[in-house]
PDB file of all heavy atoms in Angstrom:
ATOM      1  N   LYS A   1       0.803  -1.222   0.000  1.00  0.00           N
ATOM      2  CA  LYS A   1       0.000   0.000   0.000  1.00  0.00           C
ATOM      3  C   LYS A   1       0.836   1.273   0.000  1.00  0.00           C
ATOM      4  O   LYS A   1       0.317   2.334  -0.321  1.00  0.00           O
ATOM      5  CB  LYS A   1      -0.950   0.004   1.208  1.00  0.00           C
ATOM      6  CG  LYS A   1      -2.075  -1.005   1.085  1.00  0.00           C
ATOM      7  CD  LYS A   1      -2.948  -1.046   2.328  1.00  0.00           C
ATOM      8  CE  LYS A   1      -3.736   0.224   2.510  1.00  0.00           C
ATOM      9  NZ  LYS A   1      -4.649   0.152   3.679  1.00  0.00           N
ATOM     10  N   ILE A   2       2.095   1.167   0.392  1.00  0.00           N
ATOM     11  CA  ILE A   2       2.923   2.367   0.439  1.00  0.00           C
ATOM     12  C   ILE A   2       4.101   2.210  -0.524  1.00  0.00           C
ATOM     13  O   ILE A   2       4.500   1.102  -0.861  1.00  0.00           O
ATOM     14  CB  ILE A   2       3.438   2.659   1.871  1.00  0.00           C
ATOM     15  CG1 ILE A   2       4.361   1.528   2.365  1.00  0.00           C
ATOM     16  CG2 ILE A   2       2.281   2.877   2.825  1.00  0.00           C
ATOM     17  CD1 ILE A   2       5.022   1.820   3.690  1.00  0.00           C
ATOM     18  N   GLU A   3       4.631   3.350  -0.960  1.00  0.00           N
ATOM     19  CA  GLU A   3       5.832   3.323  -1.791  1.00  0.00           C
ATOM     20  C   GLU A   3       7.025   3.007  -0.898  1.00  0.00           C
ATOM     21  O   GLU A   3       7.279   3.709   0.088  1.00  0.00           O
ATOM     22  CB  GLU A   3       6.030   4.674  -2.475  1.00  0.00           C
ATOM     23  CG  GLU A   3       4.984   4.983  -3.518  1.00  0.00           C
ATOM     24  CD  GLU A   3       5.002   4.022  -4.693  1.00  0.00           C
ATOM     25  OE1 GLU A   3       6.072   3.432  -4.981  1.00  0.00           O
ATOM     26  OE2 GLU A   3       3.938   3.841  -5.319  1.00  0.00           O
ATOM     27  N   ARG A   4       7.751   1.953  -1.247  1.00  0.00           N
ATOM     28  CA  ARG A   4       8.917   1.555  -0.470  1.00  0.00           C
ATOM     29  C   ARG A   4       9.785   0.651  -1.342  1.00  0.00           C
ATOM     30  O   ARG A   4       9.369   0.211  -2.417  1.00  0.00           O
ATOM     31  CB  ARG A   4       8.512   0.867   0.836  1.00  0.00           C
ATOM     32  CG  ARG A   4       7.386  -0.163   0.733  1.00  0.00           C
ATOM     33  CD  ARG A   4       7.907  -1.534   0.459  1.00  0.00           C
ATOM     34  NE  ARG A   4       6.870  -2.544   0.612  1.00  0.00           N
ATOM     35  CZ  ARG A   4       6.772  -3.597  -0.178  1.00  0.00           C
ATOM     36  NH1 ARG A   4       7.592  -3.758  -1.192  1.00  0.00           N
ATOM     37  NH2 ARG A   4       5.838  -4.488   0.012  1.00  0.00           N
ATOM     38  N   PRO A   5      11.019   0.350  -0.902  1.00  0.00           N
ATOM     39  CA  PRO A   5      11.881  -0.518  -1.705  1.00  0.00           C
ATOM     40  C   PRO A   5      11.276  -1.915  -1.883  1.00  0.00           C
ATOM     41  O   PRO A   5      10.485  -2.378  -1.058  1.00  0.00           O
ATOM     42  CB  PRO A   5      13.182  -0.588  -0.885  1.00  0.00           C
ATOM     43  CG  PRO A   5      13.129   0.592   0.023  1.00  0.00           C
ATOM     44  CD  PRO A   5      11.682   0.849   0.296  1.00  0.00           C
ATOM     45  N   SER A   6      11.672  -2.584  -2.945  1.00  0.00           N
ATOM     46  CA  SER A   6      11.251  -3.968  -3.154  1.00  0.00           C
ATOM     47  C   SER A   6      11.844  -4.850  -2.071  1.00  0.00           C
ATOM     48  O   SER A   6      12.981  -4.650  -1.634  1.00  0.00           O
ATOM     49  CB  SER A   6      11.723  -4.462  -4.521  1.00  0.00           C
ATOM     50  OG  SER A   6      11.104  -3.724  -5.549  1.00  0.00           O
ATOM     51  N   LEU A   7      11.072  -5.842  -1.640  1.00  0.00           N
ATOM     52  CA  LEU A   7      11.495  -6.759  -0.582  1.00  0.00           C
ATOM     53  C   LEU A   7      11.629  -8.165  -1.168  1.00  0.00           C
ATOM     54  O   LEU A   7      10.771  -8.597  -1.948  1.00  0.00           O
ATOM     55  CB  LEU A   7      10.479  -6.741   0.563  1.00  0.00           C
ATOM     56  CG  LEU A   7      10.304  -5.365   1.230  1.00  0.00           C
ATOM     57  CD1 LEU A   7       9.111  -5.371   2.177  1.00  0.00           C
ATOM     58  CD2 LEU A   7      11.575  -4.944   1.960  1.00  0.00           C
ATOM     59  N   PRO A   8      12.694  -8.898  -0.818  1.00  0.00           N
ATOM     60  CA  PRO A   8      12.997 -10.166  -1.491  1.00  0.00           C
ATOM     61  C   PRO A   8      12.132 -11.336  -1.024  1.00  0.00           C
ATOM     62  O   PRO A   8      12.340 -11.897   0.046  1.00  0.00           O
ATOM     63  CB  PRO A   8      14.477 -10.397  -1.152  1.00  0.00           C
ATOM     64  CG  PRO A   8      14.686  -9.674   0.136  1.00  0.00           C
ATOM     65  CD  PRO A   8      13.759  -8.493   0.116  1.00  0.00           C
ATOM     66  N   ALA A   9      11.179 -11.683  -1.852  1.00  0.00           N
ATOM     67  CA  ALA A   9      10.310 -12.834  -1.600  1.00  0.00           C
ATOM     68  C   ALA A   9      10.211 -13.651  -2.881  1.00  0.00           C
ATOM     69  O   ALA A   9      10.135 -13.084  -3.977  1.00  0.00           O
ATOM     70  CB  ALA A   9       8.926 -12.367  -1.162  1.00  0.00           C
ATOM     71  N   ILE A  10      10.217 -14.963  -2.740  1.00  0.00           N
ATOM     72  CA  ILE A  10      10.181 -15.855  -3.892  1.00  0.00           C
ATOM     73  C   ILE A  10       9.071 -16.876  -3.691  1.00  0.00           C
ATOM     74  O   ILE A  10       9.031 -17.571  -2.669  1.00  0.00           O
ATOM     75  CB  ILE A  10      11.521 -16.602  -4.069  1.00  0.00           C
ATOM     76  CG1 ILE A  10      12.692 -15.629  -4.164  1.00  0.00           C
ATOM     77  CG2 ILE A  10      11.468 -17.514  -5.291  1.00  0.00           C
ATOM     78  CD1 ILE A  10      14.057 -16.291  -4.073  1.00  0.00           C
ATOM     79  N   ALA A  11       8.181 -16.990  -4.669  1.00  0.00           N
ATOM     80  CA  ALA A  11       7.201 -18.076  -4.679  1.00  0.00           C
ATOM     81  C   ALA A  11       7.843 -19.278  -5.365  1.00  0.00           C
ATOM     82  O   ALA A  11       8.296 -19.165  -6.515  1.00  0.00           O
ATOM     83  CB  ALA A  11       5.932 -17.654  -5.414  1.00  0.00           C
ATOM     84  N   LEU A  12       7.897 -20.401  -4.682  1.00  0.00           N
ATOM     85  CA  LEU A  12       8.540 -21.595  -5.228  1.00  0.00           C
ATOM     86  C   LEU A  12       7.589 -22.411  -6.098  1.00  0.00           C
ATOM     87  O   LEU A  12       7.787 -23.604  -6.300  1.00  0.00           O
ATOM     88  CB  LEU A  12       9.086 -22.462  -4.087  1.00  0.00           C
ATOM     89  CG  LEU A  12      10.045 -21.787  -3.123  1.00  0.00           C
ATOM     90  CD1 LEU A  12      10.577 -22.794  -2.109  1.00  0.00           C
ATOM     91  CD2 LEU A  12      11.181 -21.091  -3.854  1.00  0.00           C
ATOM     92  N   THR A  13       6.599 -21.745  -6.650  1.00  0.00           N
ATOM     93  CA  THR A  13       5.530 -22.418  -7.408  1.00  0.00           C
ATOM     94  C   THR A  13       5.490 -21.996  -8.864  1.00  0.00           C
ATOM     95  O   THR A  13       4.576 -22.389  -9.587  1.00  0.00           O
ATOM     96  CB  THR A  13       4.167 -22.073  -6.767  1.00  0.00           C
ATOM     97  OG1 THR A  13       4.041 -20.646  -6.702  1.00  0.00           O
ATOM     98  CG2 THR A  13       4.048 -22.639  -5.362  1.00  0.00           C
ATOM     99  N   THR A  14       6.486 -21.213  -9.310  1.00  0.00           N
ATOM    100  CA  THR A  14       6.338 -20.538 -10.599  1.00  0.00           C
ATOM    101  C   THR A  14       7.279 -21.015 -11.697  1.00  0.00           C
ATOM    102  O   THR A  14       7.039 -20.741 -12.864  1.00  0.00           O
ATOM    103  CB  THR A  14       6.553 -19.025 -10.426  1.00  0.00           C
ATOM    104  OG1 THR A  14       7.872 -18.798  -9.918  1.00  0.00           O
ATOM    105  CG2 THR A  14       5.539 -18.436  -9.466  1.00  0.00           C
ATOM    106  N   ASP A  15       8.366 -21.673 -11.349  1.00  0.00           N
ATOM    107  CA  ASP A  15       9.358 -22.064 -12.349  1.00  0.00           C
ATOM    108  C   ASP A  15       9.002 -23.449 -12.889  1.00  0.00           C
ATOM    109  O   ASP A  15       9.292 -24.471 -12.272  1.00  0.00           O
ATOM    110  CB  ASP A  15      10.759 -22.066 -11.721  1.00  0.00           C
ATOM    111  CG  ASP A  15      11.862 -22.246 -12.746  1.00  0.00           C
ATOM    112  OD1 ASP A  15      11.635 -22.954 -13.754  1.00  0.00           O
ATOM    113  OD2 ASP A  15      12.956 -21.697 -12.529  1.00  0.00           O
ATOM    114  N   THR A  16       8.380 -23.472 -14.059  1.00  0.00           N
ATOM    115  CA  THR A  16       7.876 -24.756 -14.593  1.00  0.00           C
ATOM    116  C   THR A  16       9.004 -25.733 -14.904  1.00  0.00           C
ATOM    117  O   THR A  16       8.820 -26.952 -14.758  1.00  0.00           O
ATOM    118  CB  THR A  16       7.027 -24.529 -15.856  1.00  0.00           C
ATOM    119  OG1 THR A  16       7.792 -23.789 -16.819  1.00  0.00           O
ATOM    120  CG2 THR A  16       5.750 -23.782 -15.524  1.00  0.00           C
ATOM    121  N   SER A  17      10.163 -25.249 -15.304  1.00  0.00           N
ATOM    122  CA  SER A  17      11.277 -26.159 -15.582  1.00  0.00           C
ATOM    123  C   SER A  17      11.764 -26.836 -14.309  1.00  0.00           C
ATOM    124  O   SER A  17      12.036 -28.044 -14.293  1.00  0.00           O
ATOM    125  CB  SER A  17      12.426 -25.407 -16.252  1.00  0.00           C
ATOM    126  OG  SER A  17      12.041 -24.948 -17.525  1.00  0.00           O
ATOM    127  N   VAL A  18      11.874 -26.057 -13.227  1.00  0.00           N
ATOM    128  CA  VAL A  18      12.270 -26.642 -11.946  1.00  0.00           C
ATOM    129  C   VAL A  18      11.211 -27.622 -11.449  1.00  0.00           C
ATOM    130  O   VAL A  18      11.520 -28.766 -11.071  1.00  0.00           O
ATOM    131  CB  VAL A  18      12.521 -25.535 -10.899  1.00  0.00           C
ATOM    132  CG1 VAL A  18      12.647 -26.121  -9.502  1.00  0.00           C
ATOM    133  CG2 VAL A  18      13.770 -24.742 -11.252  1.00  0.00           C
ATOM    134  N   LEU A  19       9.960 -27.204 -11.461  1.00  0.00           N
ATOM    135  CA  LEU A  19       8.886 -28.049 -10.934  1.00  0.00           C
ATOM    136  C   LEU A  19       8.763 -29.355 -11.719  1.00  0.00           C
ATOM    137  O   LEU A  19       8.630 -30.438 -11.125  1.00  0.00           O
ATOM    138  CB  LEU A  19       7.553 -27.293 -10.971  1.00  0.00           C
ATOM    139  CG  LEU A  19       7.444 -26.061 -10.073  1.00  0.00           C
ATOM    140  CD1 LEU A  19       6.171 -25.297 -10.386  1.00  0.00           C
ATOM    141  CD2 LEU A  19       7.485 -26.440  -8.603  1.00  0.00           C
ATOM    142  N   THR A  20       8.818 -29.266 -13.042  1.00  0.00           N
ATOM    143  CA  THR A  20       8.622 -30.479 -13.845  1.00  0.00           C
ATOM    144  C   THR A  20       9.850 -31.371 -13.844  1.00  0.00           C
ATOM    145  O   THR A  20       9.725 -32.601 -13.875  1.00  0.00           O
ATOM    146  CB  THR A  20       8.212 -30.125 -15.289  1.00  0.00           C
ATOM    147  OG1 THR A  20       9.194 -29.247 -15.877  1.00  0.00           O
ATOM    148  CG2 THR A  20       6.838 -29.466 -15.314  1.00  0.00           C
ATOM    149  N   SER A  21      11.044 -30.784 -13.778  1.00  0.00           N
ATOM    150  CA  SER A  21      12.231 -31.642 -13.755  1.00  0.00           C
ATOM    151  C   SER A  21      12.316 -32.413 -12.447  1.00  0.00           C
ATOM    152  O   SER A  21      12.629 -33.615 -12.451  1.00  0.00           O
ATOM    153  CB  SER A  21      13.503 -30.823 -13.980  1.00  0.00           C
ATOM    154  OG  SER A  21      13.772 -29.959 -12.899  1.00  0.00           O
ATOM    155  N   ILE A  22      12.034 -31.760 -11.334  1.00  0.00           N
ATOM    156  CA  ILE A  22      12.058 -32.465 -10.047  1.00  0.00           C
ATOM    157  C   ILE A  22      10.969 -33.535 -10.009  1.00  0.00           C
ATOM    158  O   ILE A  22      11.214 -34.677  -9.601  1.00  0.00           O
ATOM    159  CB  ILE A  22      11.895 -31.481  -8.872  1.00  0.00           C
ATOM    160  CG1 ILE A  22      13.095 -30.537  -8.802  1.00  0.00           C
ATOM    161  CG2 ILE A  22      11.740 -32.235  -7.551  1.00  0.00           C
ATOM    162  CD1 ILE A  22      12.919 -29.371  -7.850  1.00  0.00           C
ATOM    163  N   SER A  23       9.768 -33.184 -10.464  1.00  0.00           N
ATOM    164  CA  SER A  23       8.665 -34.152 -10.474  1.00  0.00           C
ATOM    165  C   SER A  23       8.981 -35.349 -11.364  1.00  0.00           C
ATOM    166  O   SER A  23       8.663 -36.493 -11.027  1.00  0.00           O
ATOM    167  CB  SER A  23       7.379 -33.488 -10.964  1.00  0.00           C
ATOM    168  OG  SER A  23       6.990 -32.456 -10.107  1.00  0.00           O
ATOM    169  N   ASN A  24       9.601 -35.083 -12.517  1.00  0.00           N
ATOM    170  CA  ASN A  24       9.900 -36.148 -13.470  1.00  0.00           C
ATOM    171  C   ASN A  24      11.075 -37.014 -13.019  1.00  0.00           C
ATOM    172  O   ASN A  24      11.016 -38.237 -13.086  1.00  0.00           O
ATOM    173  CB  ASN A  24      10.213 -35.533 -14.840  1.00  0.00           C
ATOM    174  CG  ASN A  24      10.439 -36.583 -15.908  1.00  0.00           C
ATOM    175  OD1 ASN A  24       9.527 -37.342 -16.227  1.00  0.00           O
ATOM    176  ND2 ASN A  24      11.636 -36.632 -16.459  1.00  0.00           N
ATOM    177  N   ASP A  25      12.147 -36.368 -12.544  1.00  0.00           N
ATOM    178  CA  ASP A  25      13.364 -37.106 -12.204  1.00  0.00           C
ATOM    179  C   ASP A  25      13.293 -37.746 -10.827  1.00  0.00           C
ATOM    180  O   ASP A  25      13.942 -38.764 -10.582  1.00  0.00           O
ATOM    181  CB  ASP A  25      14.578 -36.175 -12.247  1.00  0.00           C
ATOM    182  CG  ASP A  25      14.879 -35.663 -13.646  1.00  0.00           C
ATOM    183  OD1 ASP A  25      14.265 -36.165 -14.609  1.00  0.00           O
ATOM    184  OD2 ASP A  25      15.717 -34.752 -13.770  1.00  0.00           O
ATOM    185  N   TYR A  26      12.536 -37.137  -9.917  1.00  0.00           N
ATOM    186  CA  TYR A  26      12.449 -37.641  -8.553  1.00  0.00           C
ATOM    187  C   TYR A  26      10.987 -37.906  -8.196  1.00  0.00           C
ATOM    188  O   TYR A  26      10.452 -38.948  -8.513  1.00  0.00           O
ATOM    189  CB  TYR A  26      13.107 -36.657  -7.573  1.00  0.00           C
ATOM    190  CG  TYR A  26      14.590 -36.529  -7.805  1.00  0.00           C
ATOM    191  CD1 TYR A  26      15.102 -35.535  -8.645  1.00  0.00           C
ATOM    192  CD2 TYR A  26      15.482 -37.404  -7.206  1.00  0.00           C
ATOM    193  CE1 TYR A  26      16.464 -35.424  -8.882  1.00  0.00           C
ATOM    194  CE2 TYR A  26      16.853 -37.308  -7.433  1.00  0.00           C
ATOM    195  CZ  TYR A  26      17.331 -36.319  -8.274  1.00  0.00           C
ATOM    196  OH  TYR A  26      18.669 -36.211  -8.501  1.00  0.00           O
ATOM    197  N   ASP A  27      10.349 -36.903  -7.570  1.00  0.00           N
ATOM    198  CA  ASP A  27       8.975 -37.104  -7.111  1.00  0.00           C
ATOM    199  C   ASP A  27       8.371 -35.733  -6.824  1.00  0.00           C
ATOM    200  O   ASP A  27       9.094 -34.829  -6.391  1.00  0.00           O
ATOM    201  CB  ASP A  27       8.976 -37.968  -5.838  1.00  0.00           C
ATOM    202  CG  ASP A  27       7.587 -38.422  -5.445  1.00  0.00           C
ATOM    203  OD1 ASP A  27       6.878 -37.660  -4.767  1.00  0.00           O
ATOM    204  OD2 ASP A  27       7.217 -39.537  -5.844  1.00  0.00           O
ATOM    205  N   PHE A  28       7.068 -35.594  -7.044  1.00  0.00           N
ATOM    206  CA  PHE A  28       6.415 -34.312  -6.783  1.00  0.00           C
ATOM    207  C   PHE A  28       6.520 -33.919  -5.311  1.00  0.00           C
ATOM    208  O   PHE A  28       6.489 -32.732  -4.974  1.00  0.00           O
ATOM    209  CB  PHE A  28       4.944 -34.369  -7.214  1.00  0.00           C
ATOM    210  CG  PHE A  28       4.258 -33.032  -7.183  1.00  0.00           C
ATOM    211  CD1 PHE A  28       4.628 -32.017  -8.066  1.00  0.00           C
ATOM    212  CD2 PHE A  28       3.250 -32.764  -6.275  1.00  0.00           C
ATOM    213  CE1 PHE A  28       4.011 -30.769  -8.033  1.00  0.00           C
ATOM    214  CE2 PHE A  28       2.616 -31.522  -6.238  1.00  0.00           C
ATOM    215  CZ  PHE A  28       3.005 -30.527  -7.120  1.00  0.00           C
ATOM    216  N   ASP A  29       6.689 -34.882  -4.429  1.00  0.00           N
ATOM    217  CA  ASP A  29       6.841 -34.585  -3.009  1.00  0.00           C
ATOM    218  C   ASP A  29       8.115 -33.807  -2.704  1.00  0.00           C
ATOM    219  O   ASP A  29       8.278 -33.281  -1.602  1.00  0.00           O
ATOM    220  CB  ASP A  29       6.844 -35.876  -2.180  1.00  0.00           C
ATOM    221  CG  ASP A  29       5.476 -36.550  -2.139  1.00  0.00           C
ATOM    222  OD1 ASP A  29       4.505 -35.985  -2.679  1.00  0.00           O
ATOM    223  OD2 ASP A  29       5.388 -37.651  -1.564  1.00  0.00           O
ATOM    224  N   GLN A  30       9.033 -33.711  -3.678  1.00  0.00           N
ATOM    225  CA  GLN A  30      10.303 -33.018  -3.456  1.00  0.00           C
ATOM    226  C   GLN A  30      10.391 -31.648  -4.132  1.00  0.00           C
ATOM    227  O   GLN A  30      11.429 -30.993  -4.068  1.00  0.00           O
ATOM    228  CB  GLN A  30      11.461 -33.899  -3.943  1.00  0.00           C
ATOM    229  CG  GLN A  30      11.605 -35.191  -3.164  1.00  0.00           C
ATOM    230  CD  GLN A  30      12.899 -35.913  -3.496  1.00  0.00           C
ATOM    231  OE1 GLN A  30      13.950 -35.285  -3.636  1.00  0.00           O
ATOM    232  NE2 GLN A  30      12.826 -37.220  -3.630  1.00  0.00           N
ATOM    233  N   VAL A  31       9.306 -31.202  -4.775  1.00  0.00           N
ATOM    234  CA  VAL A  31       9.418 -29.974  -5.584  1.00  0.00           C
ATOM    235  C   VAL A  31       9.767 -28.737  -4.766  1.00  0.00           C
ATOM    236  O   VAL A  31      10.461 -27.838  -5.259  1.00  0.00           O
ATOM    237  CB  VAL A  31       8.155 -29.695  -6.443  1.00  0.00           C
ATOM    238  CG1 VAL A  31       7.987 -30.745  -7.510  1.00  0.00           C
ATOM    239  CG2 VAL A  31       6.921 -29.545  -5.587  1.00  0.00           C
ATOM    240  N   PHE A  32       9.297 -28.650  -3.534  1.00  0.00           N
ATOM    241  CA  PHE A  32       9.646 -27.506  -2.688  1.00  0.00           C
ATOM    242  C   PHE A  32      10.900 -27.795  -1.869  1.00  0.00           C
ATOM    243  O   PHE A  32      11.706 -26.895  -1.629  1.00  0.00           O
ATOM    244  CB  PHE A  32       8.477 -27.123  -1.788  1.00  0.00           C
ATOM    245  CG  PHE A  32       7.214 -26.808  -2.544  1.00  0.00           C
ATOM    246  CD1 PHE A  32       5.995 -27.337  -2.144  1.00  0.00           C
ATOM    247  CD2 PHE A  32       7.231 -25.994  -3.668  1.00  0.00           C
ATOM    248  CE1 PHE A  32       4.827 -27.061  -2.852  1.00  0.00           C
ATOM    249  CE2 PHE A  32       6.069 -25.708  -4.385  1.00  0.00           C
ATOM    250  CZ  PHE A  32       4.861 -26.255  -3.966  1.00  0.00           C
ATOM    251  N   LEU A  33      11.078 -29.039  -1.455  1.00  0.00           N
ATOM    252  CA  LEU A  33      12.263 -29.421  -0.689  1.00  0.00           C
ATOM    253  C   LEU A  33      13.544 -29.067  -1.426  1.00  0.00           C
ATOM    254  O   LEU A  33      14.453 -28.437  -0.869  1.00  0.00           O
ATOM    255  CB  LEU A  33      12.225 -30.921  -0.388  1.00  0.00           C
ATOM    256  CG  LEU A  33      13.518 -31.539   0.151  1.00  0.00           C
ATOM    257  CD1 LEU A  33      13.869 -30.933   1.499  1.00  0.00           C
ATOM    258  CD2 LEU A  33      13.401 -33.051   0.235  1.00  0.00           C
ATOM    259  N   LYS A  34      13.642 -29.481  -2.678  1.00  0.00           N
ATOM    260  CA  LYS A  34      14.886 -29.239  -3.418  1.00  0.00           C
ATOM    261  C   LYS A  34      15.143 -27.749  -3.613  1.00  0.00           C
ATOM    262  O   LYS A  34      16.297 -27.299  -3.593  1.00  0.00           O
ATOM    263  CB  LYS A  34      14.860 -29.979  -4.751  1.00  0.00           C
ATOM    264  CG  LYS A  34      15.165 -31.469  -4.603  1.00  0.00           C
ATOM    265  CD  LYS A  34      15.330 -32.140  -5.942  1.00  0.00           C
ATOM    266  CE  LYS A  34      16.024 -33.481  -5.792  1.00  0.00           C
ATOM    267  NZ  LYS A  34      17.484 -33.368  -5.605  1.00  0.00           N
ATOM    268  N   GLN A  35      14.095 -26.963  -3.781  1.00  0.00           N
ATOM    269  CA  GLN A  35      14.277 -25.522  -3.919  1.00  0.00           C
ATOM    270  C   GLN A  35      14.721 -24.891  -2.601  1.00  0.00           C
ATOM    271  O   GLN A  35      15.593 -24.008  -2.582  1.00  0.00           O
ATOM    272  CB  GLN A  35      12.993 -24.873  -4.428  1.00  0.00           C
ATOM    273  CG  GLN A  35      12.637 -25.275  -5.848  1.00  0.00           C
ATOM    274  CD  GLN A  35      11.402 -24.547  -6.328  1.00  0.00           C
ATOM    275  OE1 GLN A  35      11.458 -23.379  -6.704  1.00  0.00           O
ATOM    276  NE2 GLN A  35      10.266 -25.236  -6.317  1.00  0.00           N
ATOM    277  N   VAL A  36      14.128 -25.334  -1.498  1.00  0.00           N
ATOM    278  CA  VAL A  36      14.547 -24.823  -0.193  1.00  0.00           C
ATOM    279  C   VAL A  36      15.990 -25.222   0.090  1.00  0.00           C
ATOM    280  O   VAL A  36      16.793 -24.418   0.580  1.00  0.00           O
ATOM    281  CB  VAL A  36      13.583 -25.309   0.914  1.00  0.00           C
ATOM    282  CG1 VAL A  36      14.156 -25.021   2.308  1.00  0.00           C
ATOM    283  CG2 VAL A  36      12.226 -24.623   0.767  1.00  0.00           C
ATOM    284  N   MET A  37      16.362 -26.462  -0.243  1.00  0.00           N
ATOM    285  CA  MET A  37      17.737 -26.906  -0.056  1.00  0.00           C
ATOM    286  C   MET A  37      18.715 -26.021  -0.837  1.00  0.00           C
ATOM    287  O   MET A  37      19.800 -25.711  -0.361  1.00  0.00           O
ATOM    288  CB  MET A  37      17.880 -28.370  -0.490  1.00  0.00           C
ATOM    289  CG  MET A  37      17.192 -29.350   0.428  1.00  0.00           C
ATOM    290  SD  MET A  37      17.165 -31.037  -0.242  1.00  0.00           S
ATOM    291  CE  MET A  37      18.897 -31.466  -0.139  1.00  0.00           C
ATOM    292  N   ALA A  38      18.320 -25.628  -2.032  1.00  0.00           N
ATOM    293  CA  ALA A  38      19.208 -24.843  -2.894  1.00  0.00           C
ATOM    294  C   ALA A  38      19.248 -23.363  -2.526  1.00  0.00           C
ATOM    295  O   ALA A  38      20.295 -22.718  -2.675  1.00  0.00           O
ATOM    296  CB  ALA A  38      18.756 -24.981  -4.346  1.00  0.00           C
ATOM    297  N   LEU A  39      18.144 -22.815  -2.046  1.00  0.00           N
ATOM    298  CA  LEU A  39      18.011 -21.361  -1.944  1.00  0.00           C
ATOM    299  C   LEU A  39      18.024 -20.805  -0.524  1.00  0.00           C
ATOM    300  O   LEU A  39      18.340 -19.629  -0.332  1.00  0.00           O
ATOM    301  CB  LEU A  39      16.709 -20.911  -2.622  1.00  0.00           C
ATOM    302  CG  LEU A  39      16.574 -21.218  -4.110  1.00  0.00           C
ATOM    303  CD1 LEU A  39      15.162 -20.899  -4.590  1.00  0.00           C
ATOM    304  CD2 LEU A  39      17.603 -20.443  -4.918  1.00  0.00           C
ATOM    305  N   ALA A  40      17.636 -21.585   0.461  1.00  0.00           N
ATOM    306  CA  ALA A  40      17.415 -21.049   1.814  1.00  0.00           C
ATOM    307  C   ALA A  40      18.680 -21.103   2.653  1.00  0.00           C
ATOM    308  O   ALA A  40      19.479 -22.034   2.541  1.00  0.00           O
ATOM    309  CB  ALA A  40      16.294 -21.815   2.507  1.00  0.00           C
ATOM    310  N   ASP A  41      18.838 -20.084   3.503  1.00  0.00           N
ATOM    311  CA  ASP A  41      19.873 -20.135   4.529  1.00  0.00           C
ATOM    312  C   ASP A  41      19.299 -19.599   5.833  1.00  0.00           C
ATOM    313  O   ASP A  41      18.119 -19.266   5.912  1.00  0.00           O
ATOM    314  CB  ASP A  41      21.145 -19.398   4.101  1.00  0.00           C
ATOM    315  CG  ASP A  41      20.931 -17.903   3.876  1.00  0.00           C
ATOM    316  OD1 ASP A  41      20.169 -17.286   4.647  1.00  0.00           O
ATOM    317  OD2 ASP A  41      21.532 -17.350   2.946  1.00  0.00           O
ATOM    318  N   GLU A  42      20.139 -19.500   6.851  1.00  0.00           N
ATOM    319  CA  GLU A  42      19.644 -19.215   8.200  1.00  0.00           C
ATOM    320  C   GLU A  42      19.082 -17.811   8.369  1.00  0.00           C
ATOM    321  O   GLU A  42      18.411 -17.541   9.361  1.00  0.00           O
ATOM    322  CB  GLU A  42      20.743 -19.481   9.230  1.00  0.00           C
ATOM    323  CG  GLU A  42      21.075 -20.970   9.356  1.00  0.00           C
ATOM    324  CD  GLU A  42      22.129 -21.251  10.405  1.00  0.00           C
ATOM    325  OE1 GLU A  42      22.586 -20.295  11.061  1.00  0.00           O
ATOM    326  OE2 GLU A  42      22.489 -22.430  10.561  1.00  0.00           O
ATOM    327  N   LYS A  43      19.337 -16.909   7.430  1.00  0.00           N
ATOM    328  CA  LYS A  43      18.758 -15.567   7.518  1.00  0.00           C
ATOM    329  C   LYS A  43      17.331 -15.519   6.981  1.00  0.00           C
ATOM    330  O   LYS A  43      16.640 -14.513   7.150  1.00  0.00           O
ATOM    331  CB  LYS A  43      19.615 -14.573   6.722  1.00  0.00           C
ATOM    332  CG  LYS A  43      20.990 -14.328   7.284  1.00  0.00           C
ATOM    333  CD  LYS A  43      21.702 -13.228   6.534  1.00  0.00           C
ATOM    334  CE  LYS A  43      21.961 -13.611   5.098  1.00  0.00           C
ATOM    335  NZ  LYS A  43      22.795 -12.613   4.376  1.00  0.00           N
TER     336      LYS A  43
END
């Protein structure tokens, strides 16, 4: 609602290549796990 700097948020539901490759090569149960493993840290 207010003008302010962009804040870093990522929806892990939008990259069709990532979602389909993980689902195809492994399992749909891992589509968010593998992204969190790759992208998340303690901050």
Side-chain angles (χ1 to χ4, degrees):
K1 289 176 68 177
I2 63 174
E3 292 296 334
R4 44 90 169 142
S6 296
L7 299 170
I10 305 169
L12 304 184
T13 55
T14 60
D15 189 327
T16 55
S17 294
V18 168
L19 295 171
T20 56
S21 68
I22 295 169
S23 298
N24 184 63
D25 294 350
Y26 295 93
D27 190 276
F28 189 67
D29 290 356
Q30 296 190 41
V31 293
F32 303 134
L33 168 63
K34 282 188 163 282
Q35 293 183 78
V36 169
M37 290 171 69
L39 299 172
D41 63 38
E42 291 182 2
K43 293 186 296 186

